[in-house]
Amino acid sequence: MRIIWGAAAGRAVTGRPAPGPHRRTAAASSADAVVLDLPFRGSWRVENSPARRVPSHGTEAFGSSHAIDFVAVDAGGRSAPRTWRSLAAAEPPELFRGFGAPILAPVTGTVVLAHDEEPDHEARRSPLTLVPYMLGQAGRARGGVAALAGNHVVVAVGPAGPFVVLAHLRHGSVQVRPGQYLHVGAVLAECGNSGNSTQPHVHVQVSDSTDWHRAHGVPLAFRDRTGRTWVPAESEVVRA
């Protein structure tokens, strides 16, 4: 998957301007990995993992250097059935296993940004549709935050961060508001295909600021049901 998250500011769900920007008091080093719970249930395949490379998405822009993507899959490792459309055309997002799946808070903290105004668009697995879409990347970047992140929620772990971002959420599904305090596991929204996304998935990153043009990425790791802490490898299927 060729997915770049981009910035994640925007007008809050409540209609009030989102608070911020926020900045962590000091940049994090690799020794400061923020440990998260997996933000979903079921089986999800890892894409664009910082376990393979940093920056994981090929850029450090917008605090995304250690971002990671998860795509929901079935027992056979498929995100959606293969049909003629997957070979030659765009596909409705509703065909994908992840679309509409609950996305959970991976940490306890306070919501500082919540945006829920972007449409879900068709998915593109076929090279015939994927290549033209990727050629439009620069134009989406010029479109700003919403064109890249789509619908998103940002949770501050502490008063000064770090800030955990979950992006590409389903339109109309965000259930939280800026200022709301959450416990880990709370339902934030549903998985969608909004913003700069080629198929329904959830993008997770940790940043030191919500001033996205100056933000730095913070290393992250995940905790599984046994208490193990690790950074999932690319193409690994994780189960929560």
Side-chain angles (χ1 to χ4, degrees), residues 1-3 44-59 64-71 201-205 219-222 230-238:
M1 298 177 71
R2 302 171 181 85
I3 303 164
W44 296 63
R45 186 180 65 242
V46 177
E47 304 281 355
N48 298 322
S49 172
R52 180 173 74 91
R53 67 172 183 177
V54 176
S56 59
H57 286 54
T59 179
S64 64
S65 61
H66 290 75
I68 189 168
D69 295 324
F70 296 97
V71 179
H201 75 289
V202 61
H203 168 112
V204 183
Q205 74 179 57
L220 53 73
F222 290 88
W230 90 119
V231 179
E234 200 147 295
S235 299
E236 179 179 354
V237 175
V238 299

Side-chain angles (χ1 to χ4, degrees), residues 12-40:
V13 172
T14 56
R16 301 188 301 271
H22 306 267
R23 177 170 290 279
R24 197 179 183 193
T25 54
S29 71
S30 59
D32 298 319
V34 175
V35 179
L36 308 173
D37 279 29
L38 293 167
F40 44 70

Side-chain angles (χ1 to χ4, degrees), residues 117-144:
E117 299 179 0
E118 308 309 315
D120 293 289
H121 52 74
E122 290 184 305
R124 295 167 176 84
R125 289 187 291 176
S126 164
L128 296 178
T129 58
L130 183 59
V131 171
Y133 183 77
M134 297 312 299
L135 292 175
Q137 181 96 334
R140 287 189 295 279
R142 288 192 296 270

Side-chain angles (χ1 to χ4, degrees), residues 94-198:
E94 293 82 4
L95 292 179
F96 287 76
R97 187 172 183 86
F99 191 73
I103 299 301
L104 315 177
V107 290
T108 293
T110 303
V111 178
V112 294
L113 291 170
H115 183 78
D116 193 19
E117 299 179 0
E118 308 309 315
D120 293 289
H121 52 74
E122 290 184 305
R124 295 167 176 84
R125 289 187 291 176
S126 164
L128 296 178
T129 58
L130 183 59
V131 171
Y133 183 77
M134 297 312 299
L135 292 175
Q137 181 96 334
R140 287 189 295 279
R142 288 192 296 270
V145 170
L148 292 170
N151 304 310
H152 57 276
V153 171
V154 181
V155 179
V157 179
F163 303 92
V164 181
V165 182
L166 298 103
H168 307 305
L169 305 173
R170 184 179 184 179
H171 177 250
S173 74
V174 174
Q175 300 182 28
V176 296
R177 302 290 186 270
Q180 184 175 345
Y181 185 78
L182 303 173
H183 289 284
V184 63
V187 177
L188 301 178
E190 296 174 3
C191 178
N193 199 43
S194 60
N196 190 38
S197 172
T198 58

